[in-house]
Amino acid sequence: MSNDFILADTDQTKRLKEICLSSSAYSCSGEIYKLLSREVLHELVKRIPNKSIKLPSDLLYGKKVITGEEKFLENLDKYIGYIRDRYLIDHIELTILIELSLNNKYNDILFDMNDYHHNQNYKKYHDAFRKMFLFNFYDNIRFYSKYVDNSEAIYLFLDETKDLNFEDPKDIILLENLFIKIFNNRYSNLFNSFIPNKEVDEDKYDFYIHQVNWVLSDYYEKGSYSFKLTDDDHYIDVYNGDKLIFNVVKNKKLDKEIKVRFGIINKNFCGDKIITFTKQEFKDILNRLKNIDNHKRYDVNYDFIDSTLVMNFWNYEGTQFLDIYFEYSNNGDKFVIGLDPEDTKNLYKLIKEQV
């Protein structure tokens, strides 16, 4: 988000920022704060109804009556959280894509004053959240399809989804599942494909057609790759549902180098690679996994000759965590998997049993 487009606060956006930072009701305060400095939010907040909303419980806010502004921030917070939890997209770019989505025709949900948690209202919110985030890209596919031949990836997508209606609450879930795979496969460089076609001059169509087609062709060429666990695989179940595979490959050069088949599987991602460690690297990282350090604050990376993996050990308030950065494609695409102390112990045991 470029500083060139950051606007000075109005009285209202300043007040909303203060509410956002002072309340524990919002989990995406950082993203909301940034967006409140952008033109799209400056315009949207003018539409917030001036009213009080009675809540069935004081659990979220510590009170049973909130303002329309607080409810607007809650809706925006729920939207950002919904998208952030479902898509594996570079976090900076994801905020920009959310910004782009806030100006389309589905943004009325941000002004809905019905309680999110009451009487299954969340289903209505989620339906609108899906449509709001996906509309720009989906509309671009349909619009630009008029300018390409039927051998392009755009047509592969349209053929696959020809029986699905974007407006249908059930069909949009199926479309969302497909888009999750498409975007997660790409991870970044999605921005141009999300720019609404109505904002593009006709002489620039070729560039934006290429951007949309590029994202889709990436998926259709490599995004369907998957593998299944076998009885010979060594893996751990991570606390958030991911499976981490770490198979030490038997080889004749075990005295000089150690090869490992490293992989990750979850509902949105599947990838593995053979990674080579020097014997010393392997010994060092095994010792580090064994000796969990909870006594001081630190943030330390372990890099290896094979740059496919980076292990980041860090301590927060007396608890050690481990983030593993896995470069799963030849284009530098990365997946990050987080391990808590119990996961780290299990990974150590898994490796130790194999050597």
Side-chain angles (χ1 to χ4, degrees):
M1 302 176 77
S2 170
N3 290 334
D4 295 339
F5 299 97
I6 293 177
L7 305 184
D9 280 329
T10 64
D11 289 342
Q12 187 178 23
T13 59
K14 182 180 179 181
R15 180 170 62 252
L16 287 165
K17 285 182 177 180
E18 290 171 351
I19 294 171
C20 172
L21 294 180
S22 63
S23 175
S24 61
Y26 313 120
S27 60
C28 303
S29 300
E31 291 93 335
I32 295 173
Y33 190 92
K34 291 177 182 177
L35 289 168
L36 282 168
S37 294
R38 312 297 284 190
E39 182 178 0
V40 62
L41 258 297
H42 274 242
E43 293 302 315
L44 287 178
V45 298
K46 296 175 184 177
R47 294 168 49 190
I48 299 174
N50 182 19
K51 61 183 298 184
S52 298
I53 298 99
K54 292 183 179 180
L55 302 176
S57 168
D58 62 0
L59 184 62
L60 185 61
Y61 288 92
K63 56 186 178 182
K64 284 194 174 182
V65 179
I66 61 173
T67 66
E69 290 184 333
E70 288 174 304
K71 186 63 172 71
F72 173 86
L73 290 177
E74 179 188 319
N75 293 344
L76 181 58
D77 181 70
K78 290 286 194 293
Y79 174 54
I80 295 170
Y82 179 89
I83 301 305
R84 193 173 65 180
D85 289 345
R86 281 160 179 77
Y87 291 89
L88 176 67
I89 299 174
D90 174 84
H91 70 283
I92 295 175
E93 185 166 1
L94 184 59
T95 305
I96 300 173
L97 299 183
I98 288 171
E99 179 187 352
L100 281 175
S101 73
L102 293 175
N103 234 351
N104 67 44
K105 62 183 181 179
Y106 297 100
N107 65 16
D108 283 348
I109 193 65
L110 298 174
F111 306 96
D112 195 303
M113 297 292 116
N114 291 308
D115 186 72
Y116 175 91
H117 304 92
H118 182 64
N119 198 28
Q120 295 193 322
N121 282 336
Y122 73 90
K123 292 183 178 180
K124 172 183 65 175
Y125 281 94
H126 286 182
D127 180 63
F129 291 167
R130 295 180 187 105
K131 292 170 182 173
M132 183 158 58
F133 184 66
L134 297 175
F135 176 75
N136 289 0
F137 189 83
Y138 183 78
D139 189 55
N140 284 344
I141 293 173
R142 299 183 68 83
F143 178 80
Y144 291 130
S145 68
K146 297 179 292 185
Y147 301 93
V148 300
D149 63 54
N150 58 13
S151 65
E152 300 286 358
I154 284 175
Y155 268 89
L156 290 175
F157 175 88
L158 290 176
D159 184 62
E160 185 175 353
T161 60
K162 62 186 176 183
D163 296 324
L164 300 179
N165 180 355
F166 191 86
E167 297 297 331
D168 185 273
K170 293 182 180 178
D171 285 356
I172 190 62
I173 294 174
L174 299 176
L175 282 167
E176 180 187 47
N177 290 337
L178 177 57
F179 277 119
I180 285 172
K181 296 176 184 176
I182 291 169
F183 298 154
N184 289 8
N185 173 70
R186 188 59 177 271
Y187 179 68
S188 60
N189 292 322
L190 292 161
F191 172 73
N192 288 319
S193 62
F194 270 73
I195 292 177
N197 55 73
K198 64 183 179 181
E199 298 178 8
V200 175
D201 295 332
E202 190 170 352
D203 61 352
K204 299 289 196 308
Y205 281 179
D206 284 348
F207 172 78
Y208 289 97
I209 289 170
H210 172 72
Q211 297 297 308
V212 173
N213 206 57
W214 187 23
V215 173
L216 294 173
S217 62
D218 256 11
Y219 170 72
Y220 285 112
E221 289 173 9
K222 68 177 183 180
S224 58
Y225 168 74
S226 64
F227 65 87
K228 294 183 179 179
L229 292 171
T230 71
D231 293 338
D232 295 327
D233 283 317
H234 301 269
Y235 67 92
I236 62 170
D237 290 302
V238 180
Y239 75 96
N240 61 4
D242 293 356
K243 295 185 184 296
L244 187 156
I245 300 93
F246 200 103
N247 294 336
V248 178
V249 180
K250 304 300 182 183
N251 65 87
K252 295 179 181 179
K253 295 183 178 180
L254 201 58
D255 59 327
K256 295 181 179 179
E257 63 182 33
I258 296 176
K259 293 185 180 296
V260 170
R261 176 173 167 255
F262 182 90
I264 298 168
I265 298 177
N266 63 30
K267 65 179 181 179
N268 297 322
F269 176 82
C270 182
D272 69 334
K273 260 189 175 183
I274 298 295
I275 301 168
T276 302
F277 296 87
T278 68
K279 189 173 182 180
Q280 188 60 50
E281 286 176 341
F282 193 84
K283 180 180 178 181
D284 290 345
I285 201 61
L286 192 59
N287 285 335
R288 185 63 185 83
L289 289 168
K290 178 182 180 181
N291 298 311
I292 293 178
D293 184 357
N294 294 326
H295 297 97
K296 59 185 178 182
R297 177 174 291 186
Y298 54 84
D299 190 333
V300 180
N301 281 342
Y302 278 73
D303 302 293
F304 311 105
I305 289 178
D306 187 334
S307 61
T308 301
L309 278 191
V310 174
M311 294 190 176
N312 174 227
F313 293 86
W314 53 283
N315 184 290
Y316 179 72
E317 295 185 351
T319 302
Q320 176 185 285
F321 295 93
L322 168 60
D323 293 333
I324 301 178
Y325 294 78
F326 174 41
E327 187 174 303
Y328 60 88
S329 81
N330 294 327
N331 297 324
D333 300 319
K334 291 184 173 64
F335 186 97
V336 183
I337 184 169
L339 277 63
D340 66 11
E342 190 63 28
D343 296 328
T344 305
K345 291 178 184 177
N346 290 336
L347 178 58
Y348 169 75
K349 293 176 183 177
L350 184 77
I351 299 171
K352 187 66 176 176
E353 289 171 356
Q354 298 178 68
V355 295

